[in-house]
């Protein structure tokens, strides 16, 4: 065999080997990349699950605190100095990350579902008053009543399906109790600015006749009770320490509330836990609606929402 032919064969063999090596390298790097994605996916799933378990742990802790408050530490009264009302300061988790939780009393806000109950006209009057106090048009209260009342009859400045079906994105009214406060944003003529004003003072409970806890209620929820009660008067009351043991004691020092005494209480049945747990690069937020049975203090989870942005209530002073 001549030398040029042999050299040519050797060249072909070398190219073949190089080709095989480069294919193997490509396959290996593809496998490595795939493997790395699988590892990251597993790590994310693992961290997500750990964060979820921490958030659910916070929920269990809140249930326990509310149960103990009912039976031992805070019997017969609920106020903001009790243990359940104290936020859990953010604390570091062993896995790297943190957990923070807070409980809010929901007998402190205006329950929007009350406009679908047997006492709807009274609650409509209160919602209108609250809207006027907040500087939003009280016609929105008519629209809200139509949104959840069972009939399809337009009342006042309200609106029913006939109007919402003509909207740019046609939709229907639920005509029943609702489960999420975000439905307010679907009301006809509701602007984002008006929604932002209303949201801190309203809530949604599976109940159509909810009393306000005078020890925890906010300024606008209390001021909505009667025309003679102004937000300015209530501000002084809310800023002070509130630990009334019964409604009569409260009325005795706050005579303006006499016409609304049937709407008041000093204990609460509905609460909301909001927690955030972060593990590694993953975080889970949990908003749980809790009901505490007024007969035995047993606490039940009615609803869980994993989509609500967590906003801490903790305020640090510059010195601390
Ligand atoms: Ca209590
Ligand atoms: Ca309706």
């Amino acid at each position: 065999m001549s030398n040029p032919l042999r050299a040519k064969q050797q060249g072909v063999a070398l190219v073949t080997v190089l080709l095989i090596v480069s294919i193997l390298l490509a396959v290996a790097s593809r496998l490595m990349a795939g493997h790395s994605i699988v590892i990251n996916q597993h790590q994310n799933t693992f961290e997500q699950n750990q964060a979820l378990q921490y958030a659910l742990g916070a929920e269990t802790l809140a249930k326990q605190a509310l149960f103990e408050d009912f039976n031992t530490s805070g019997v017969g009264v609920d106020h903001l100095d009790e243990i359940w009302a104290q936020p859990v300061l953010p604390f570091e988790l062993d896995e790297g990350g943190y957990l923070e939780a807070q409980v809010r009393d929901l007998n402190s806000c205006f329950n929007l579902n009350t406009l679908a109950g047997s006492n709807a006209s009274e609650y409509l009057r209160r919602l209108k008053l609250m809207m006027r106090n907040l500087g939003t048009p009280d016609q929105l209260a008519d629209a809200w009543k139509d949104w959840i009342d069972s009939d399809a009859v337009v009342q006042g400045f309200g609106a029913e399906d006939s109007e919402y079906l003509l909207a740019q994105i046609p939709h229907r009214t639920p005509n029943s109790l609702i489960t999420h406060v975000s439905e307010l944003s679907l009301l006809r003529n509701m602007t984002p600015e008006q929604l932002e004003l209303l949201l801190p003072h309203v809530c949604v409970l599976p109940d159509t006749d909810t009393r306000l806890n005078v020890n925890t209620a906010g300024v606008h929820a209390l001021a909505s009770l009667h025309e003679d009660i102004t937000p300015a008067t209530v501000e002084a009351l809310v800023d002070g320490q509130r630990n009334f043991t019964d409604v009569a004691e409260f009325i005795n020092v706050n005579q303006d509330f006499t016409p609304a005494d049937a709407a008041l209480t000093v204990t609460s049945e509905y609460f909301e836990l909001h927690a955030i747990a972060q593990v590694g690069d993953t975080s889970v937020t949990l908003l749980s609606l809790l009901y505490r049975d007024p007969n035995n203090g047993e606490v039940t989870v009615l609803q869980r929402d994993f989509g609500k942005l967590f906003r801490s209530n903790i305020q640090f002073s510059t010195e601390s």
Side-chain angles (χ1 to χ4, degrees):
M1 196 180 289
S2 66
N3 278 345
L5 183 58
R6 187 169 184 168
K8 193 178 175 185
Q9 284 175 332
Q10 283 175 339
V12 170
L14 185 63
V15 168
T16 309
V17 168
L18 284 174
L19 193 62
I20 291 170
V21 168
S22 54
I23 290 171
L24 285 174
L25 277 173
V27 170
S29 81
R30 179 67 192 259
L31 283 173
M32 288 287 287
H35 186 60
S36 163
I37 290 171
V38 169
I39 288 176
N40 280 336
Q41 280 174 339
H42 280 286
Q43 189 173 353
N44 281 343
T45 309
F46 182 65
E47 288 175 351
Q48 174 89 13
N49 195 36
Q50 274 190 313
L52 174 63
Q53 295 307 319
Y54 274 115
L56 292 173
E59 183 190 82
T60 305
L61 193 65
K63 286 171 69 181
Q64 186 63 26
L66 288 167
F67 181 76
E68 282 182 12
D69 169 79
F70 183 90
N71 288 295
T72 50
S73 57
V75 181
V77 64
D78 294 310
H79 57 83
L80 297 176
D81 289 328
E82 290 187 314
I83 295 164
W84 60 266
Q86 310 314 310
V88 175
L89 292 172
F91 66 86
E92 214 171 306
L93 302 175
D94 292 342
E95 292 80 1
Y98 70 96
L99 173 72
E100 186 179 347
Q102 56 208 19
V103 173
R104 177 187 172 209
D105 164 24
L106 295 181
N107 283 77
S108 67
C109 39
F110 185 94
N111 174 14
L112 289 171
N113 273 334
T114 51
L115 271 72
S118 56
N119 205 9
S121 56
E122 167 61 15
Y123 285 107
L124 174 65
R125 186 191 65 76
R126 289 187 205 167
L127 185 58
K128 284 187 172 186
L129 180 55
M130 178 192 272
M131 286 178 167
R132 288 198 295 275
N133 286 337
L134 285 167
T136 59
D138 66 1
Q139 292 93 325
L140 287 169
D142 285 323
W144 180 253
K145 182 175 181 304
D146 273 346
W147 184 259
I148 57 170
D149 71 9
S150 57
D151 62 50
V153 181
V154 176
Q155 286 165 342
F157 292 93
E160 292 279 359
D161 277 356
S162 51
E163 194 152 337
Y164 291 106
L165 286 171
L166 297 175
Q168 198 172 10
I169 302 173
H171 52 286
R172 287 182 179 277
T173 56
N175 287 337
S176 68
L177 299 193
I178 56 134
T179 56
H180 206 282
V181 76
S182 59
E183 290 202 26
L184 261 186
S185 64
L186 296 171
L187 276 197
R188 183 199 55 177
N189 298 337
M190 176 69 82
T191 67
E193 293 75 25
Q194 290 161 348
L195 188 65
E196 199 178 326
L197 279 172
L198 284 171
L199 281 179
H201 313 288
V202 296
C203 47
V204 166
L205 303 175
D207 185 353
T208 55
D209 204 8
T210 315
R211 285 187 294 168
L212 277 177
N213 184 339
V214 295
N215 292 323
T216 60
V219 170
H220 284 283
L222 286 170
S224 74
L225 289 170
H226 198 271
E227 280 74 5
D228 292 344
I229 307 167
T230 64
T233 317
V234 184
E235 262 167 37
L237 162 72
V238 168
D239 286 344
Q241 196 178 25
R242 286 180 286 170
N243 183 5
F244 298 99
T245 51
D246 56 45
V247 174
E249 184 193 351
F250 173 78
I251 296 286
N252 197 31
V253 288
N254 297 284
Q255 303 274 327
D256 292 351
F257 285 84
T258 307
D261 65 339
L264 302 173
T265 177
V266 292
T267 56
S268 296
E269 293 170 19
Y270 292 97
F271 299 86
E272 180 182 80
L273 163 86
H274 206 179
I276 182 167
Q278 184 170 331
V279 175
D281 296 327
T282 310
S283 66
V284 166
T285 60
L286 170 63
L287 186 75
S288 303
L289 174 60
L290 307 173
Y291 171 70
R292 188 173 65 179
D293 191 326
N295 300 310
N296 55 19
E298 198 173 302
V299 182
T300 316
V301 179
L302 300 179
Q303 189 183 54
R304 288 188 181 126
D305 178 355
F306 292 97
K308 178 85 185 280
L309 186 67
F310 184 90
R311 285 206 175 89
S312 180
N313 285 340
I314 300 169
Q315 292 176 339
F316 293 101
S317 68
T318 314
E319 280 179 23
S320 65

